[in-house]
Amino acid sequence: MSDHPLVGAVVGVLGRSVSVAVAVPILAGFASGYFGNPRNNMEAKGWYTNLKKSSLTPPSWVFPVAWTSLYGLMGYASHLFAKAILQSPPSLATSHLAQLGMGLYAGQLALNLAWTPLFFGAHNVGGALVDMAVLIPTVAACISVFNRVNTGAGNLLLPYLAWISFASYLNYKIWVSNPTIKNTKRN
């Protein structure tokens, strides 16, 4: 397990309860999407609708379906990782992997959840793009660490990595196609 009590507690909960592991990112994603716009979601949709976007932008109904699925996979991956840590013989290496894996998992989730308030809430398309530029290598590192403990856990994050890479492209296309939003702040 881990010498760090918080990491040990998180690994214990996620490793023993698949429902908690899956529910945490799904509920956090819902909260970020709902509360990420400090005004109201209709205003964000109106603002977003008027932006110039890539021709590859999927229809709006795809996003909640994709994100709910990806958050579920993310949660299940954390469960498999934590369960494998719990089943490993105690060692300094296991403790290090638990801390690193859970740190990367928490970090990527925080970066992921920050994107919606940046993009839709603050209309900070450039800031959201920077968030994605940090998120992608963080997820890649998380996959690498998860794979060292449980290959299935790491592999479950591959669709997520592909989706955020695509989402980064969409974010970039909005940023370059809408020059007036680059230097404006939301009122």
Side-chain angles (χ1 to χ4, degrees):
M1 179 117 67
S2 172
D3 294 334
H4 192 282
L6 179 59
V7 173
V10 170
V11 166
V13 170
L14 296 180
R16 289 185 182 93
S17 176
V18 68
S19 57
V20 170
V22 171
V24 166
I26 289 174
L27 293 174
F30 173 77
S32 175
Y34 186 79
F35 297 110
N37 179 5
R39 296 190 185 178
N40 65 56
N41 289 329
M42 293 311 294
E43 179 188 327
K45 288 178 184 171
W47 171 78
Y48 179 77
T49 302
N50 292 324
L51 294 173
K52 294 177 191 165
K53 295 179 254 337
S54 165
S55 61
L56 298 177
T57 302
S60 60
W61 65 266
V62 170
F63 293 99
V65 173
W67 279 114
T68 302
S69 301
L70 293 169
Y71 284 134
L73 287 173
M74 185 189 304
Y76 191 62
S78 74
H79 168 72
L80 291 178
F81 174 80
K83 185 176 177 183
I85 290 289
L86 289 172
Q87 294 171 346
S88 298
S91 70
L92 187 57
T94 302
S95 176
H96 175 71
L97 284 172
Q99 290 179 29
L100 185 58
M102 285 292 101
L104 288 166
Y105 180 75
Q108 68 79 26
L109 185 58
L111 287 163
N112 178 299
L113 298 174
W115 186 88
T116 297
L118 282 169
F119 189 90
F120 286 107
H123 299 177
N124 187 344
V125 177
L129 189 57
V130 169
D131 178 79
M132 289 294 239
V134 177
L135 175 62
I136 290 171
T138 304
V139 171
C142 187
I143 290 169
S144 176
V145 172
F146 275 29
N147 273 334
R148 290 174 62 188
V149 174
N150 181 299
T151 305
N155 289 343
L156 282 172
L157 295 176
L158 291 173
Y160 172 48
L161 182 61
W163 180 259
I164 61 173
S165 297
F166 176 62
S168 295
Y169 160 77
L170 296 176
N171 191 156
Y172 173 76
K173 288 300 282 185
I174 289 172
W175 187 68
V176 298
S177 301
N178 298 276
T180 59
I181 63 171
K182 289 182 186 176
N183 297 316
T184 59
K185 294 193 182 218
R186 183 170 183 184
N187 296 331

